[in-house]
Amino acid sequence: MRDNLDGVSVFVEAVEAGGFARAAERLALTRSAVGKTIARLEARLGVRLFHRTTRSQGLTEDGQIYYERCLRALEELRAGEALLESGRREVRGRLKVSLPLLFGRHCVEPVLLELARQHPSLELDLRFSDSVVDLVAERFDLAVRNGTPGEGSGLSTRKIVSQKKVVCASPSYLAAHGIPTDIANLLDHDALVYWRNDQPFPWTFHDESGRVIVAKLKWRLQFDNQEAIADAAVQGMGVAWLPSWLVSDQLAAGQLVTLLDQFQSLPLDTYAVWPSAQYIPMRLRAAIDTLAANLKAVTDI
């Protein structure tokens, strides 16, 4: 039975990795070992699971049916593991997490590394990308996402922090172009725009009565990286709207100054997202709770 289960896990990894070679890398095996395991599984089942060519492997019809059944079985195994973990105090096992590049690197990673330091049996697999990954298909346990995560089927969400945003510019830029005193004045300035999902990310504020205002902007420079926007602002290239944690050092050094402080910027809400399940493993629950408890101190600068 143990050999059979080993074969199933290698088979599922081969399907999701897109081939034997990549599965071997993920499992720390040789490509030959993966191929032999699949061959033994096929011999035991009496069917061919993969169409094989010199360059790739694709599922047969039988292989697709078997793969779907294996996924269900693995979910049951994970549920059983979660039940066992609920009776233990130790946080252990592997956690695969999708993180946004900048926020993940500067804010989330230190919190998760401290969690790993406190729990030596916890394994972390951190993947950094601003692309929205398919948590189920790519077998992620958790994702951290900035902005409203939507209503993805089969996903659970929890808001873990709200990032404070500030309007800022360099003293040299303000000396040359003047200081905006109202949100409407931003249209007279060079905005440094964050470009996301094929459109500019809107600058949003609450006025004194609590009404939401979306600033009208003009720009000639746009970026897909907020750290690059901060660099451009320091160089006097325009006015930026950025998370306060990202520019805290530049503000402290006087390289940037905040503007329009009388208006409250709408914060950027950040969410933990994970595949819905009846039982949540202790390692996943610990990661979500730890992020919710610690990210405010990291970002509220």
Side-chain angles (χ1 to χ4, degrees):
M1 177 60 73
R2 180 178 178 180
D3 290 341
N4 292 347
L5 290 176
D6 288 343
V8 166
S9 63
V10 171
F11 165 67
V12 169
E13 193 67 55
V15 174
E16 297 182 347
F20 294 179
R22 291 186 64 187
E25 292 176 4
R26 293 184 182 183
L27 295 168
L29 298 172
T30 65
R31 187 186 185 286
S32 174
V34 171
K36 289 178 181 178
T37 299
I38 299 299
R40 287 195 296 269
L41 185 59
E42 289 177 325
R44 181 172 64 82
L45 296 172
V47 298
R48 182 167 290 276
L49 299 173
F50 287 95
H51 296 296
R52 294 172 176 81
T53 69
T54 56
R55 294 186 177 181
S56 65
Q57 298 85 34
L59 282 176
T60 63
E61 184 177 350
D62 287 332
Q64 182 63 42
I65 293 172
Y66 189 61
Y67 171 65
E68 293 171 1
R69 293 286 184 174
C70 287
L71 283 183
R72 296 177 193 173
L74 289 175
E75 279 302 315
E76 288 297 319
L77 289 173
R78 293 187 186 110
E81 179 182 311
L83 278 174
L84 292 175
E85 282 189 346
S86 66
R88 294 197 296 253
R89 295 181 60 84
E90 184 180 9
V91 176
R92 62 187 303 151
R94 182 173 178 269
L95 199 66
K96 184 178 179 182
V97 188
S98 172
L99 303 175
L101 282 170
L102 193 59
F103 182 70
R105 171 68 181 82
H106 288 274
C107 298
V108 181
E109 179 188 7
V111 174
L112 291 180
L113 290 182
E114 180 58 31
L115 179 67
R117 188 192 310 278
Q118 295 173 7
H119 300 279
S121 296
L122 175 64
E123 303 172 24
L124 293 179
D125 181 357
L126 305 183
R127 307 291 180 94
F128 296 85
S129 173
D130 286 333
S131 299
V132 177
V133 300
D134 186 325
L135 298 185
V136 176
E138 300 185 43
R139 297 176 66 188
F140 278 93
D141 301 295
L142 174 67
V144 173
R145 292 178 179 167
N146 290 322
T148 304
E151 300 295 331
S153 176
L155 297 178
S156 298
T157 64
R158 175 181 173 185
K159 188 170 78 171
I160 51 177
V161 74
S162 293
Q163 300 178 47
K164 178 183 176 183
K165 303 288 289 285
V166 295
V167 180
C168 56
S170 71
S172 63
Y173 174 86
L174 297 173
H177 298 85
I179 300 175
T181 57
D182 189 88
I183 293 173
N185 297 150
L186 290 173
L187 194 57
D188 301 323
H189 289 265
D190 295 321
L192 302 173
V193 170
Y194 179 46
W195 201 259
R196 180 178 172 185
N197 298 328
D198 296 324
Q199 60 185 345
F201 197 82
W203 297 19
T204 51
F205 305 85
H206 282 303
D207 66 11
E208 295 175 352
S209 65
R211 183 170 55 96
V212 175
I213 299 175
V214 179
K216 295 181 179 180
L217 306 171
K218 69 177 180 66
W219 66 91
R220 63 188 182 92
L221 302 177
Q222 62 190 47
F223 309 78
D224 69 352
N225 181 282
Q226 293 188 95
E227 200 164 28
I229 294 176
D231 292 340
V234 169
Q235 294 175 37
M237 298 302 295
V239 179
W241 188 59
L242 294 167
S244 60
W245 60 265
L246 179 59
V247 292
S248 60
D249 290 343
Q250 294 90 329
L251 291 171
Q255 295 175 303
L256 295 174
V257 296
T258 60
L259 306 168
L260 303 174
D261 293 334
Q262 70 272 32
F263 298 97
Q264 181 183 2
S265 293
L266 265 66
L268 176 62
D269 291 335
T270 300
Y271 292 82
V273 184
W274 65 96
S276 298
Q278 185 175 0
Y279 303 103
I280 300 179
M282 182 178 291
R283 58 185 174 274
L284 176 57
R285 187 181 302 280
I288 296 169
D289 290 345
T290 298
L291 290 172
N294 292 280
L295 278 179
K296 181 175 175 57
V298 177
T299 61
D300 195 10
I301 299 174

